[in-house]
Amino acid sequence: MSVRVRRIYEPPEPDDGLRVLVDRLWPRGLAKDEARVDEWPKGLTPSSELRTWYHGGGSYEEFRSRYEAELGAPEAAELLDRLRKAARTGTVTLLTASKKTGESHAHVLAELLGG
């Protein structure tokens, strides 16, 4: 079982396993065939309001708390459970355009998935 977080702009690696884009918007300047994304579950991404609040100067701790609350919604919880099951059988690589992956929603997801 393995969950990794990588920037979408990094070239795919053979040991990435299931490559999951966890951003709501497609990354700028990246062709879809280059990214080799297996899944793009937009229901797991932070809401536009939360993302705007966080990038406007909100704290990571508060962002994390609000994001975890959003992940409790039925659609998000179902998608999270599906990824958790995938991570039990192989590698799941969460892909994001965020420069600070350690303070991003992808990091929160990785921790919730057991990574």
Side-chain angles (χ1 to χ4, degrees):
M1 174 173 129
S2 174
V3 178
R4 303 169 30 169
V5 176
R6 296 187 64 218
R7 290 201 69 222
I8 186 78
Y9 298 107
E10 297 172 16
E13 294 181 356
D15 59 344
D16 279 347
L18 181 68
R19 291 174 52 86
V20 182
L21 178 61
V22 293
D23 290 349
R24 185 169 296 271
L25 305 173
W26 187 261
R28 292 182 183 191
L30 184 65
K32 289 187 179 184
D33 60 329
E34 290 176 31
R36 287 202 265 146
V37 170
D38 297 312
E39 293 187 23
W40 187 12
K42 294 180 186 177
L44 275 180
T45 64
S47 66
S48 296
E49 296 81 12
L50 180 56
R51 191 178 71 246
T52 301
W53 173 84
Y54 182 48
H55 293 296
S59 74
Y60 176 70
E61 293 77 20
E62 181 66 20
F63 166 78
R64 179 186 183 94
S65 175
R66 292 182 186 190
Y67 181 44
E68 286 180 359
E70 287 185 356
L71 290 172
E75 178 189 7
E78 182 179 322
L79 291 167
L80 193 60
D81 190 50
R82 197 162 49 98
L83 284 183
R84 193 174 283 120
K85 288 176 184 173
R88 287 187 196 126
T89 61
T91 301
V92 173
T93 300
L94 304 176
L95 303 166
T96 181
S98 298
K99 290 181 181 176
K100 295 181 180 181
T101 59
E103 293 183 356
S104 71
H105 63 289
H107 181 74
V108 174
L109 284 173
E111 287 186 345
L112 292 174
L113 292 171

